[in-house]
Amino acid sequence: MGIGTLLIANRGEIAVRIIRAARELGICTVQAHSQADADSLAVRLADRAIDIGPPQAAKSYLDGEAILRAAKESGADAIHPGYGFLAENADFADAVDDAGLNFVGPTGESIRLLGDKVTARGLAATLGVPTVPGSDGRIDDLDSARSIVDRIGFPIMIKAAAGGGGRGIRVVTDQAEFDHRLPQASAEAKAAFGDGGLYFERFIENARHVEVQVLGDGDHVVHCYERECSLQRRRQKVWEEAPAAMLPDDVRTALCKSAVAIARHVGYRGAGTLEYLYDELSGEFHFIEMNTRIQVEHPVTECVTGIDIVREMLRIAGGEPLRWRQDDIRITGHAIECRINAEDPANNFMPSVGVVDGLSVPGGPGVRFDTMLYPGYAVPPFYDSLLGKLIVWDETRSSALKRLERALAELEISGIKTTKPLHQALVAEETVRGSTFDTNFLEHWLESGPPSLVE
């Protein structure tokens, strides 16, 4: 069967990543872009480009009808949604299927079962996978929300039922803050994912965030081991590693086994990630959610397994069976990813937009920079601040940290402020080097006055 022409319904570095994978498979690419992204690298690299609307995401990248029209007009037979925007929108996946096109990702039914965080928690519980105590379903009104909070107790985490990336998440410690934050979280989730549904979990402090990458073809599911994503600011990941250095082998085995069981239960198709919290003191882990899409941090898994995950997504969507058996997949070495954002870490991470007037990309063995930047590129103010991802691989975590230090020193982006100084400070921090951090470390470290974050 295969895919002949692929429409990319996303932007930024993930659009560039998808175009490159598609080209290696001989697939023609069409980049759907907003008017603000007409000069993007993805538009330059794709075989064709098509305007889908104004800069505002709601009028372009979140406009499912505009994307479907673009696919029809361009002769595409498949749509890759990337991450964010409509990537986990079950109705959009169904609409793509109804239009006779191929959605590069799971079925709408799988997204409803697993992409909806509330439903996924219930499914995990029925399969015997531990979950964090929380609401049994979506929260419909403030009165019922208060009764659930009375049962769970503070602190609690308010989370968006759809989407991911830290959007719609609030940690609250008392009733007044809860009443104030609840509508904020719903509005943010609605704006980001088109779904304002919320649910609650008890907030577990001092946990490690570990996630398992899976691949499925509808009949078979394998895992590609785990990543650690505990270094987070405002619930958004800034640094990821594979494998999770602190994870005992027996816990790793149990985590990966549970992830495969959940995905296999729904006949999962495509790439997906199951996220967990791991308590080092008790050795317990809890399932928190599944992301039914490619994730920002997928390159670290690619580095340690040698599997091109985006290319596998395209093959599976084109009708090929999964090419990997579980016994074929091994971890080799250690990989670290730093998210380079258009923010000024010395000025409370103030967003930075403008023209990139200089760019020098690091190279050498084990270094990869996934980005949409080029000299002269004007960073638009309308979207996520992610500019690129600096990824390094080496034989051990210790040598990977040294390689990261070297690669960060070589990376030069001028004309705008970036989070490069944050990563240079983190790579020198003893807690990070010793892998003794948890999900609260970065916030506390920043509050305590770390070394200079001025570039």
Side-chain angles (χ1 to χ4, degrees):
M1 178 164 32
I3 297 172
T5 300
L6 175 71
L7 183 105
I8 296 102
N10 212 297
R11 63 176 305 281
E13 65 86 22
I14 192 61
V16 173
R17 173 75 182 87
I18 295 166
I19 289 168
R20 286 174 170 154
R23 182 155 291 163
E24 289 170 6
L25 292 173
I27 297 171
C28 180
T29 55
V30 180
Q31 176 62 42
H33 66 88
S34 74
Q35 288 152 13
D37 282 333
D39 293 326
S40 68
L41 182 59
V43 167
R44 293 183 175 198
L45 291 178
D47 295 299
R48 291 179 55 195
I50 187 164
D51 183 336
I52 55 169
Q56 296 86 350
K59 298 178 180 178
S60 50
Y61 298 109
L62 283 170
D63 186 341
E65 292 184 4
I67 292 168
L68 285 171
R69 279 198 303 274
K72 288 287 188 182
E73 290 172 12
S74 62
D77 51 12
I79 296 177
H80 198 312
Y83 51 66
F85 298 131
L86 295 174
E88 293 182 278
N89 187 308
D91 292 340
F92 179 66
D94 285 344
V96 173
D97 186 57
D98 292 344
L101 304 173
N102 202 337
F103 184 73
V104 183
T107 62
E109 183 182 4
S110 290
I111 295 174
R112 287 188 184 88
L113 286 170
L114 296 175
D116 184 292
K117 317 306 180 190
V118 176
T119 310
R121 278 170 50 87
L123 174 60
T126 62
L127 294 174
V129 181
T131 59
V132 179
S135 54
D136 295 329
R138 287 179 178 234
I139 305 306
D140 297 321
D141 59 75
L142 192 57
D143 288 339
S144 62
R146 284 172 172 156
S147 67
I148 295 167
V149 170
D150 288 342
R151 173 170 57 84
I152 300 173
F154 289 105
I156 66 163
M157 184 178 287
I158 303 171
K159 303 183 72 172
R167 299 290 181 84
I169 291 180
R170 299 288 188 282
V171 175
V172 296
T173 57
D174 58 45
Q175 192 66 56
E177 187 179 16
F178 173 80
D179 291 348
H180 178 64
R181 299 291 186 191
L182 192 72
Q184 282 185 352
S186 180
E188 186 175 309
K190 178 70 175 176
F193 313 118
D195 181 347
L198 301 173
Y199 69 106
F200 305 149
E201 285 178 351
R202 180 183 295 161
F203 178 58
I204 299 179
E205 297 186 74
N206 309 121
R208 309 284 289 243
H209 183 118
V210 180
E211 59 189 31
V212 178
Q213 175 74 58
V214 296
L215 284 169
D217 62 7
D219 294 317
H220 305 286
V221 176
V222 295
H223 68 78
C224 303
Y225 294 94
E226 84 287 351
R227 303 184 281 258
E228 174 166 20
C229 315
S230 297
L231 290 177
Q232 302 176 9
R233 177 178 172 272
R234 295 183 177 175
R235 307 302 153 199
Q236 297 205 32
K237 302 162 187 171
V238 302
W239 165 305
E240 297 101 346
E241 304 188 26
M246 75 315 182
L247 207 61
D249 286 344
D250 60 333
V251 177
R252 174 176 291 113
T253 299
L255 266 176
C256 293
K257 186 177 178 181
S258 75
V260 170
I262 293 170
R264 184 179 289 150
H265 186 78
V266 300
Y268 194 78
R269 183 189 72 193
T273 300
L274 296 101
E275 300 195 342
Y276 299 81
L277 291 178
Y278 171 63
D279 184 338
E280 278 189 283
L281 294 177
S282 67
E284 296 176 333
F285 65 85
H286 301 274
F287 170 79
I288 50 176
E289 65 184 46
M290 180 172 184
N291 291 309
T292 54
R293 54 174 167 78
I294 191 69
Q295 281 198 287
V296 174
E297 57 269 31
H298 74 274
V300 290
T301 296
E302 293 183 327
C303 287
V304 298
T305 63
I307 297 174
D308 185 323
I309 295 172
V310 178
R311 211 160 55 186
E312 292 304 313
M313 290 180 77
L314 293 170
R315 283 192 168 114
I316 292 167
E320 292 186 32
L322 195 60
R323 300 184 310 140
W324 301 87
R325 296 177 304 170
Q326 192 61 62
D327 290 345
D328 298 330
I329 304 172
R330 294 278 187 275
I331 298 175
T332 302
H334 195 92
I336 305 172
E337 173 182 290
C338 294
R339 300 192 188 194
I340 306 298
N341 292 344
E343 299 170 353
D344 182 1
N347 191 19
N348 196 31
F349 294 87
M350 184 77 72
S352 177
V353 296
V355 177
V356 175
D357 57 21
L359 177 66
S360 179
V361 175
V367 178
R368 166 177 166 181
F369 189 50
D370 283 18
T371 187
M372 78 291 205
L373 296 182
Y374 60 83
Y377 174 67
V379 178
F382 307 103
Y383 311 110
D384 185 273
S385 62
L386 183 66
L387 297 174
K389 306 173 309 198
L390 179 60
I391 306 115
V392 299
W393 174 93
D394 210 333
E395 294 177 353
T396 66
R397 185 173 188 271
S398 175
S399 57
L401 284 165
K402 291 176 182 173
R403 180 162 283 172
L404 176 60
E405 196 169 17
R406 186 267 294 172
L408 282 166
E410 290 182 16
L411 176 64
E412 294 182 8
I413 303 170
S414 57
I416 57 172
K417 298 290 185 181
T418 78
T419 51
K420 171 185 159 180
L422 168 70
H423 293 296
Q424 289 182 303
L426 283 174
V427 79
E429 165 60 40
E430 201 54 41
T431 303
V432 174
R433 299 188 76 84
S435 188
T436 55
F437 48 80
D438 58 39
T439 53
N440 291 317
F441 165 76
L442 183 53
E443 295 277 9
H444 293 160
W445 181 72
L446 289 169
E447 290 170 3
S448 69
S452 173
L453 299 179
V454 177
E455 190 164 10

